[in-house]
Amino acid sequence: AALHAVTAGTAWLRLDGDPPLQLMPGDLLLLPSGIGYRLASAPDARCRPFDRALKEELMTPAGDLTLPGPGAVTTFVCAGYDYDLDVAQQLMRLLPDVIHVPADAVAGREIAALVELLAAEVGRRSPGSRAAAARLIDLLLIAAIRRWSESRGDDAPGSWLTALRDPTVAGVLALLHERPVRMSADHDIG
């Protein structure tokens, strides 16, 4: 999975078969399934395949990745996200290939704060920075999924994820997860 948070400038997400999607400052992009994609400076700009060799070529001594080209500078905070497929499968199969969280008054403040903290930890390279960065990436993942779930209408297909929007059902699910053996024995649930 990949996470991208635009901190300045603009970029375009390109997926085969889909129209380009403009990304603006404050936008968060989650690609949970690892689908192939391209980020470009313009909707029709030429893209170079990004791999480890290109990353090493373009990395500055300070650890910043710079992509040369014309136009205004665009900056991102980017992260790769590895998860245990056996554990995460129940959640990941419910998500679309792309979750775009546009900057807005509500989600924007929360995401901007997390991105600012993440950028500081990555730039600091102090003891504990890697662990702090990993937790902040987890929080960005949660924020993206939360915003996606909240943005879905009432006609969204039913699943345990959509059930969490109902306070009563969410409470029952929480009890089941807290005490599964007791709930099964008390209510003879098979």
Side-chain angles (χ1 to χ4, degrees):
L3 261 168
H4 299 287
V6 181
T7 57
T10 187
W12 293 84
L13 170 70
R14 294 188 354 216
L15 298 166
D16 290 336
D18 289 344
L21 172 66
Q22 188 173 22
L23 304 174
M24 303 297 290
D27 285 5
L28 180 65
L29 183 65
L30 170 63
L31 299 120
S33 67
I35 188 172
Y37 66 96
R38 296 173 305 284
L39 292 175
S41 58
D44 56 355
R46 187 175 166 272
C47 293
R48 252 173 101 179
F50 188 76
D51 58 15
R52 186 175 301 273
L54 181 59
K55 179 180 175 182
E56 289 173 6
E57 173 189 328
L58 298 173
M59 191 73 70
T60 70
D64 294 324
L65 183 65
T66 58
L67 303 174
V73 173
T74 300
T75 59
F76 292 87
V77 173
C78 302
Y81 201 90
D82 292 323
Y83 52 83
D84 183 340
L85 190 58
D86 292 334
V87 173
Q89 179 68 21
Q90 294 300 317
L91 171 62
M92 294 305 179
R93 70 183 172 95
L94 298 174
L95 302 177
D97 289 334
V98 176
I99 296 176
H100 173 229
V101 182
D104 65 25
V106 178
R109 285 193 307 263
E110 175 188 354
I111 290 169
L114 292 170
V115 169
E116 184 177 340
L117 288 169
L118 178 59
E121 287 299 334
V122 170
R124 186 173 293 135
R125 294 183 177 80
S126 299
S129 287
R130 284 185 86 134
R135 298 302 73 77
L136 289 165
I137 292 168
D138 289 343
L139 290 172
L140 280 171
L141 177 74
I142 291 167
I145 294 171
R146 185 180 287 160
R147 296 299 167 246
W148 169 78
S149 179
E150 291 168 354
S151 72
R152 299 180 73 207
D154 291 335
D155 59 344
S159 72
W160 64 267
L161 191 56
T162 56
L164 293 176
R165 292 190 311 202
D166 181 296
T168 303
V169 175
V172 171
L173 287 172
L175 284 172
L176 284 169
H177 286 280
E178 288 173 15
R179 300 179 294 226
V181 173
R182 180 170 176 213
M183 295 300 289
S184 176
D186 287 350
H187 301 287
D188 198 22
I189 298 173

